[in-house]
């Protein structure tokens, strides 16, 4: 179930939170949201969480008054897991003890004329694991391509070495053949000169 939110009854009514923005560093079920919290108002968010999932809630008041807000987190049975009053920022990590909808609320009800801007980041371990696996796959692909590149480079260097040796061998053979031809021609002219001398005498 996607994260959703509502405001307490009053002039603001009930507000569904489809402004789930984005997906932060830990994947599809991690959410970063910045919202306006009017004076004398309360904003709650709901998240369906499976038992055993490790979750972290971080929040900070960005603007307004003394930069403080009340925060409360409850499990599906209404048991309070976290409660802080007039906090500027904080972080709380817990492991879900059961399946169900968990609720966390930010309240500015103690303020009569100052509205606040609140940022929070809600992360779940399962999403982080998915991101970790995705990153691991990317690293594996990169390693595979690096190995293939190294293998190709090694083959190219080996082929280049063989071509160099073949060229040197070819040059040596040509040199030997050339020297042999020179000696053969010298021998031919020497034999011809000797035959001419014998005929004349």
């Amino acid at each position: 179930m996607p994260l959703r939110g509502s405001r307490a009854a009053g002039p603001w009514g009930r507000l569904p939170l489809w402004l789930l923005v984005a997906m932060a560093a830990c994947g599809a079920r991690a959410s970063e949201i910045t919202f306006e919290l009017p004076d004398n108002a309360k904003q709650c968010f709901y998240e369906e969480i499976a038992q055993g999932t490790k979750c972290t809630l971080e929040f900070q008041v960005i603007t307004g008054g003394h930069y403080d807000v009340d925060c409360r987190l409850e499990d599906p049975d209404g048991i309070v897991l976290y409660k802080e009053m007039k906090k500027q920022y904080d972080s709380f990590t817990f492991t879900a003890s059961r399946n169900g909808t968990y609720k966390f609320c930010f309240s500015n009800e103690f303020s009569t004329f100052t509205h606040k801007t609140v940022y929070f980041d809600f992360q779940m371990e399962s999403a982080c694991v998915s991101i970790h696996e995705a990153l691991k796959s990317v690293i594996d692909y990169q390693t595979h391509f690096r190995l293939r590149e190294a293998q190709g480079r090694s083959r190219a260097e080996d082929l280049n070495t063989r071509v160099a040796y073949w060229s040197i061998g070819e040059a040596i053979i040509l040199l030997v053949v050339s020297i042999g031809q020179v000696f053969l021609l010298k021998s031919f002219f020497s034999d011809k000169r000797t035959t001419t001398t014998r005929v004349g005498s």
Side-chain angles (χ1 to χ4, degrees):
M1 178 183 293
L3 187 68
R4 62 189 190 281
S6 67
R7 284 202 173 98
W12 302 100
R14 186 173 177 81
L15 177 69
L17 186 70
W18 52 270
L19 19 113
L20 267 194
V21 282
M23 322 272 117
C26 279
R29 297 199 64 188
S31 303
E32 285 184 307
I33 295 178
T34 301
F35 65 96
E36 296 290 327
L37 186 60
D39 53 280
N40 199 32
K42 181 180 179 181
Q43 173 77 62
C44 292
F45 302 87
Y46 302 84
E47 180 67 49
E48 192 76 21
I49 303 175
Q51 181 179 358
T53 303
K54 187 177 180 181
C55 306
T56 299
L57 171 64
E58 297 179 355
F59 68 90
Q60 181 174 352
V61 180
I62 301 173
T63 62
H66 296 289
Y67 299 90
D68 54 356
V69 72
D70 297 344
C71 183
R72 180 187 180 100
L73 171 66
E74 297 179 3
D75 72 0
D77 294 325
I79 298 173
V80 177
L81 303 178
Y82 170 84
K83 181 180 179 181
E84 287 293 339
M85 312 294 288
K86 296 186 177 182
K87 294 285 289 186
Q88 294 181 346
Y89 57 88
D90 203 4
S91 175
F92 176 68
T93 300
F94 68 97
T95 300
S97 59
R98 53 160 295 182
N99 296 331
T101 302
Y102 288 71
K103 178 175 76 170
F104 51 98
C105 299
F106 299 95
S107 174
N108 193 31
E109 293 173 311
F110 58 84
S111 178
T112 56
F113 59 88
T114 306
H115 80 279
K116 311 286 175 60
T117 302
V118 182
Y119 160 87
F120 77 82
D121 182 10
F122 188 76
Q123 300 179 1
M124 289 191 289
E125 186 180 61
S126 57
C128 293
V129 169
S130 298
I131 286 295
H132 174 74
E133 289 176 351
L135 289 174
K136 187 175 183 300
S137 297
V138 171
I139 292 171
D140 288 343
Y141 277 121
Q142 287 180 336
T143 302
H144 173 69
F145 284 121
R146 284 197 189 103
L147 289 174
R148 288 189 62 183
E149 181 187 4
Q151 187 180 47
R153 185 166 55 247
S154 176
R155 287 180 177 175
E157 290 174 354
D158 183 56
L159 181 62
N160 187 52
T161 301
R162 290 185 181 183
V163 169
Y165 282 139
W166 177 260
S167 299
I168 293 172
E170 219 174 27
I172 292 173
I173 290 171
L174 287 173
L175 182 62
V176 170
V177 169
S178 299
I179 293 173
Q181 286 178 341
V182 169
F183 278 110
L184 183 62
L185 288 172
K186 278 187 176 181
S187 172
F188 175 75
F189 283 115
S190 296
D191 290 342
K192 191 175 180 181
R193 199 175 301 118
T194 303
T195 303
T196 305
T197 304
R198 284 178 182 174
V199 171
S201 56

